[in-house]
Amino acid sequence: MGEKRPFTLFLCVILFLYLLTGPIFLFSFDKENLIQGEKEEPQWQGVITIWDVPRTTIAGSTFGWIKARISEFEKENPGVYIELRELNYENNKEIIEKGALAEDKNKPDILPLFVEGEPIPLKNVEPLEKWISQDIIEQLRPEFIQGVTYRNKIYGMPFASSGNVLLINGDLLQSIGLNLPKNKEWTYEEFINFIEKIEKAKGKEDIITFDAYIGKGDGSIMPMLLSDGGQIYQQEEQRFAFYQPEMVSGFQKLLNVKEKATTHKKFGFREKNEVYSDFYENQKTAVLAADSKVIYTLERLKKQDKGFSYKVMPFPNGSIDIPIWYSNNLSAYAMMKGEDPEKQKVMAKFLEFLIQGETQQSLRSLGAFPVNQKVKDLYNQESLVKNWFEIGYEYQTHPLTPKWGEIEKEIIESIQAVLTGKNTPTQGCKELQMQLE
């Protein structure tokens, strides 16, 4: 018996230690398994459908950019498949509006929020506040968030923007003995002096000194109208505002340009293809106000031996002494309402993916600009763009507005009335304000 006591005592100690530490060990084991289980909870798998419009790359591909983003996302998310419906038709707007209002099982999951500059119907669009993180929202420039927000709800994820620039035909200037401007930016007075030099040098040659498309879906002339401090939308008052001294001054500046420069006899009323054809193909326009996306159309023409030398300049500074960046063409996707919250999470994840750093870098292929304010080196290696893109800008846009098409129509008609002399700048701004209210 005496020989067994040490062994018995050893067993008692082991049993005591087990009773003491066993529950702790088991609890720790269960907790670890629980955490692992949470991490390994399977993500929704299935098919997401996207309808999209052409987004032409520098290489000329119409859907190459979004296809590449889809492929990258699918690789990172096994079991998730994104089906792209390529809409390349004259009635794209009608097709997408029908898709936005569809209630059947074949309705799209993601659509462009804007088509031809106008927002799609918002009835079936899912607000994104509960699906995207505050960190994501804070990465986006506030003006771009404003552009997709209606009544304090975010209806789309912006992923690319463009600005407005002045494009100057260097070959045309050289043919009349002038050089391109050397400065990176200029004042309104310097711009007017440049216009007057062209007028003097061209003599009776058939040259359009200044041109711009003023019509639906294009805000190319807005930076001049806003250059003296005008605000197209008064945030504090929550309204569009045009009858203000700063806006009247902007209208007067545009009218002065028309009076100083040789413009087409139908300036302000021409179709977009006519305006651009005179610059691209006929090469008879010296200075064109246009969307920055045009830069890469010019680069494609160069590669086809159809191009010419040119310079990109910001709009002239007005009294606020800083050029205006007016984002009329904001690219954004809308997520449609659905019955499966797990699928909605993955759809939102895809939208967040589009504004991440690496994805935003891919916008270079579109000649577009980032919406993520942390992405600042996109065009560091391209002097053509860098020289004007890195200038400090006053960013302006307006909130998402379901009736934007009607508002835009009133703005265009007001500008046209001033250009034809039907209204003075003051009358034009006053009547426009009355129409909007």
Side-chain angles (χ1 to χ4, degrees):
M1 293 289 291
E3 294 178 358
K4 294 183 177 179
R5 284 180 183 173
F7 182 70
T8 303
L9 182 60
F10 174 73
L11 289 177
C12 289
V13 171
I14 293 297
L15 180 61
F16 174 75
L17 290 173
Y18 173 75
L19 292 173
L20 183 66
T21 62
I24 298 173
F25 173 76
L26 290 173
F27 175 76
S28 175
F29 180 77
D30 287 342
K31 185 178 180 181
E32 185 179 344
N33 282 347
L34 181 62
I35 293 171
Q36 287 180 349
E38 287 177 353
K39 289 182 179 178
E40 294 174 2
E41 182 179 341
Q43 177 180 262
W44 175 89
Q45 296 182 346
V47 179
I48 294 171
T49 58
I50 295 180
W51 294 8
D52 204 8
V53 294
R55 303 181 191 280
T56 307
T57 65
I58 298 170
S61 170
T62 49
F63 293 93
W65 181 83
I66 186 61
K67 284 181 177 179
R69 307 291 77 76
I70 288 171
S71 177
E72 290 168 4
F73 185 78
E74 289 177 339
K75 287 177 183 177
E76 293 181 12
N77 296 270
V80 176
Y81 302 96
I82 299 180
E83 182 181 280
L84 174 65
R85 180 180 176 188
E86 300 177 10
L87 300 177
N88 204 356
Y89 309 101
E90 291 184 1
N91 62 335
N92 274 352
K93 185 179 178 183
E94 180 184 342
I95 294 171
I96 290 176
E97 286 181 350
K98 286 182 178 179
L101 295 170
E103 303 282 356
D104 59 60
K105 64 180 181 179
N106 294 320
K107 65 181 181 180
D109 296 313
I110 296 174
L111 285 172
L113 181 60
F114 303 103
V115 184
E116 297 176 12
E118 293 186 41
I120 63 175
L122 300 178
K123 177 185 174 183
N124 294 327
V125 176
E126 175 75 16
L128 295 178
E129 295 81 40
K130 71 176 183 179
W131 301 105
I132 58 177
S133 67
Q134 185 61 33
D135 176 63
I136 290 293
I137 294 174
E138 290 175 357
Q139 289 180 41
L140 299 170
R141 186 173 286 280
E143 293 84 1
F144 298 149
I145 282 291
Q146 181 190 39
V148 295
T149 300
Y150 177 61
R151 293 181 177 175
N152 297 317
K153 291 184 178 180
I154 300 172
Y155 281 94
M157 177 66 80
F159 63 89
S161 70
S162 60
N164 310 107
V165 296
L166 295 176
L167 299 166
I168 305 171
N169 187 325
D171 288 2
L172 185 58
L173 290 186
Q174 189 176 25
S175 71
I176 57 174
L178 295 179
N179 297 317
L180 288 165
K182 294 182 180 180
N183 295 338
K184 293 182 180 180
E185 54 184 309
W186 45 9
T187 64
Y188 179 74
E189 289 72 24
E190 289 170 336
F191 175 67
I192 289 295
N193 288 339
F194 180 66
I195 291 294
E196 290 176 337
K197 284 182 180 179
I198 297 173
E199 286 296 310
K200 183 178 180 180
K202 79 180 186 66
K204 295 182 179 180
E205 288 194 42
D206 184 20
I207 293 175
I208 297 172
T209 306
F210 179 82
D211 207 356
Y213 168 66
I214 299 174
K216 184 179 178 182
D218 194 289
S220 295
I221 212 67
M222 289 302 295
M224 189 168 292
L225 302 185
L226 302 171
S227 63
D228 283 339
Q231 297 283 329
I232 188 172
Y233 189 82
Q234 298 285 353
Q235 195 64 44
E236 292 182 3
E237 300 176 15
Q238 296 287 294
R239 70 186 183 98
F240 286 89
F242 281 87
Y243 190 41
Q244 48 183 296
E246 298 86 354
M247 194 70 82
V248 172
S249 177
F251 271 68
Q252 183 62 58
K253 283 185 170 179
L254 177 60
L255 184 59
N256 289 346
V257 171
K258 180 181 182 294
E259 292 172 349
K260 295 281 186 181
T262 298
T263 58
H264 193 278
K265 61 182 180 181
K266 293 173 64 179
F267 176 63
F269 293 85
R270 293 210 289 166
E271 294 296 323
K272 194 170 191 174
N273 65 322
E274 295 174 347
V275 172
Y276 281 38
S277 179
D278 273 344
F279 188 73
Y280 291 153
E281 299 169 17
N282 303 329
Q283 297 185 30
K284 61 187 293 185
T285 302
V287 182
L288 176 70
D291 188 281
S292 57
K293 290 185 292 186
V294 170
I295 296 170
Y296 290 94
T297 301
L298 293 175
E299 288 302 291
R300 283 198 297 273
L301 288 173
K302 274 187 176 182
K303 291 177 181 178
Q304 299 167 6
D305 293 326
K306 299 177 182 178
F308 49 87
S309 67
Y310 65 94
K311 182 168 183 175
V312 184
M313 290 285 287
F315 271 76
N317 300 349
S319 61
I320 63 171
D321 200 31
I322 185 172
I324 301 295
W325 182 291
Y326 177 73
S327 292
N328 186 70
N329 290 308
L330 184 62
S331 298
Y333 286 120
M335 183 170 83
M336 311 310 290
K337 293 177 179 177
E339 298 177 356
D340 186 345
E342 295 304 312
K343 180 178 181 179
Q344 298 287 95
K345 285 181 184 178
V346 179
M347 290 160 60
K349 186 178 180 180
F350 175 70
L351 297 184
E352 289 185 342
F353 168 78
L354 294 178
I355 67 117
Q356 300 305 314
E358 290 185 11
T359 310
Q360 289 280 282
Q361 291 287 339
S362 70
L363 294 175
R364 187 186 293 107
S365 69
L366 291 175
F369 297 94
V371 296
N372 187 330
Q373 48 192 342
K374 293 182 179 180
V375 179
K376 299 179 180 180
D377 59 348
L378 187 59
Y379 290 104
N380 275 2
Q381 305 303 316
E382 298 184 34
S383 59
L384 182 68
V385 177
K386 180 182 178 181
N387 287 342
W388 66 269
F389 179 56
E390 291 188 346
I391 294 170
Y393 285 91
E394 166 79 17
Y395 282 79
Q396 279 208 43
T397 186
H398 55 81
L400 175 64
T401 307
K403 294 185 178 181
W404 172 248
E406 298 173 21
I407 294 172
E408 184 182 45
K409 181 174 180 290
E410 296 292 345
I411 294 172
I412 292 166
E413 290 179 355
S414 177
I415 294 171
Q416 290 172 336
V418 170
L419 291 175
T420 58
K422 180 181 178 182
N423 281 336
T424 65
T426 300
Q427 290 170 332
C429 290
K430 186 176 183 179
E431 288 187 12
L432 176 56
Q433 193 66 50
M434 292 173 63
Q435 291 289 341
L436 297 181
E437 294 178 349

